Amino acid sequence: RSVRRPDACSIAVPFAPRSEVGQHGGARSDFLCAAAAALGACIARRRRGQRGTAVRRSSAASNEALREDDWLSGLQLRLGSMLASSRLLTALSAMMTTGSLEPALRLFSPEICIDPKAKTDTFLAHEDPDIWVVPNALSDAEVEHLLSLAGARWEASLVDPYGTGEGQRVLLERSSFQCYLNAEETPTVDKIERRLAEIAGVDTKYMEALALVRYAPDQFFTLHHDGPDRPKTVFVYLNDLPEGSAGETHFPLIGLKVMPRKGSAVIWSNCAASGIDKRTFHQGLPPQRSVKYGMNCFFNETVQREWTE
């Protein structure tokens, strides 16, 4: 039998801000330069009427040709990391993306940071939109099995900034790496897929390929939405991070962060009655002192797996 799976994609906005600039001890001029660069990139993108789109693969950016140890790449990673962690710039990005003043109003309210392991049973972390947390979605053995499958299969996470369908490596938008698994690749993967589908309340035939992601320190994914064609998202954390190392999943429009905790999962719906639920725009904040591993599990509105004997 064979499995058909369309390539995955998600909407991404031009830039995502970074939280407290003071964490870097940067000078005021550095902050102003970063803010100006981010604002300029955002305005230019919006004038073109285009959004970046995360894509699965592209011949234009192969891993063999990818080198990010030069000074320019390092500068982009540093700048992007700073932008992605700035609460002020995140609010600005969210306002320009959604057309809502809510992100600005939330600057004056403390954000809630959820520790998935604070409870032992599934719980509702936020109501309307509903954000559910499952503390023990995967066992340690299952997590280690998934990471062992990645091996040398890690590839650069790409985006489609001009809406052409051709993936590009854009370090100021998405600097992580990823690894796609095949459907039912192993009996353990099959078991995990079925459990995640049960947790999400969606049939496995709508599940896209599981995608492991890896964030080294200062790597991130800017403010983005998983798209109207993906009614539900499950994100699974595959390791713990040291205390104070950041790397949270951040929902700036509702003032919520979810801490990475090994084996735990966070679940949300991407759609509302009128279309996409803009409140579920989110970003993957950069870890500061350790590598973060996670796994995307997207449920599409169309069948992703058609079985034939």
Side-chain angles (χ1 to χ4, degrees):
R1 61 183 182 176
S2 61
V3 186
R4 179 188 63 81
R5 290 191 315 278
D7 284 346
C9 67
S10 66
I11 301 170
V13 297
F15 77 91
R18 175 155 191 166
S19 202
E20 283 36 86
V21 177
Q23 292 177 351
H24 297 272
R28 183 166 177 252
S29 60
D30 292 335
F31 172 79
L32 294 176
C33 289
L39 181 60
C42 188
I43 292 174
R45 180 74 55 75
R46 290 185 65 82
R47 284 179 177 173
R48 290 196 296 269
Q50 299 166 335
R51 286 176 176 169
T53 306
V55 295
R56 180 163 179 178
R57 293 185 182 90
S58 171
S59 58
S62 66
N63 282 342
E64 290 76 10
L66 186 65
R67 291 187 58 84
E68 295 175 356
D69 54 359
D70 59 288
W71 70 269
L72 181 58
S73 295
L75 177 62
Q76 291 182 72
L77 282 170
R78 183 67 170 174
L79 175 61
S81 178
M82 186 182 73
L83 298 178
S85 295
S86 167
R87 189 175 178 188
L88 174 62
L89 294 178
T90 295
L92 175 61
S93 177
M95 287 170 57
M96 299 185 72
T97 302
T98 65
S100 170
L101 293 177
E102 182 65 23
L105 299 177
R106 285 200 168 273
L107 284 173
F108 302 97
S109 302
E111 293 188 306
I112 297 174
C113 191
I114 298 294
D115 182 350
K117 296 292 188 178
K119 299 183 180 181
T120 57
D121 297 323
T122 300
F123 64 95
L124 185 63
H126 187 279
E127 186 174 2
D128 192 26
D130 292 350
I131 309 291
W132 289 90
V133 173
V134 184
N136 299 293
L138 301 184
S139 68
D140 287 353
E142 289 171 330
V143 167
E144 296 307 318
H145 178 75
L146 291 173
L147 292 175
S148 71
L149 293 176
R153 294 162 62 179
W154 293 107
E155 57 187 33
S157 300
L158 308 178
V159 295
D160 179 13
Y162 305 111
T164 62
E166 183 176 352
Q168 298 182 32
R169 181 67 161 170
V170 183
L171 292 178
L172 282 174
E173 294 186 20
R174 191 183 191 195
S175 51
S176 59
F177 281 74
Q178 62 192 15
C179 167
Y180 285 92
L181 303 181
N182 296 316
E184 296 185 328
E185 182 164 326
T186 67
T188 298
V189 170
D190 178 35
K191 184 169 67 173
I192 290 172
E193 290 173 333
R194 293 178 186 276
R195 185 183 310 132
L196 294 179
E198 182 178 359
I199 290 173
V202 183
D203 194 289
T204 53
K205 67 182 180 181
Y206 296 103
M207 181 186 289
E208 296 180 11
L210 295 179
L212 277 63
V213 289
R214 184 187 72 198
Y215 293 84
D218 283 338
Q219 291 183 343
F220 56 90
F221 192 177
T222 61
L223 192 66
H224 64 284
H225 196 278
D226 292 338
D229 56 340
R230 290 169 169 166
K232 190 162 288 187
T233 295
V234 180
F235 187 80
V236 184
Y237 302 99
L238 301 182
N239 69 320
D240 295 313
L241 294 183
E243 192 69 27
S245 190
E248 302 95 343
T249 302
H250 183 207
F251 298 86
L253 276 80
I254 60 175
L256 181 72
K257 293 180 179 179
V258 181
M259 301 168 61
R261 288 292 183 260
K262 185 177 181 179
S264 63
V266 57
I267 307 168
W268 67 89
S269 296
N270 296 301
C271 302
S274 58
I276 70 168
D277 191 337
K278 294 181 180 180
R279 298 171 298 176
T280 57
F281 269 89
H282 57 284
Q283 58 182 349
L285 295 179
Q288 296 177 356
R289 298 192 298 274
S290 184
V291 177
K292 169 188 170 183
Y293 292 95
M295 182 174 69
N296 281 309
C297 176
F298 299 120
F299 290 92
N300 205 287
E301 64 180 358
T302 61
V303 173
Q304 301 293 293
R305 305 179 181 195
E306 295 179 352
W307 304 103
T308 59
E309 296 298 333

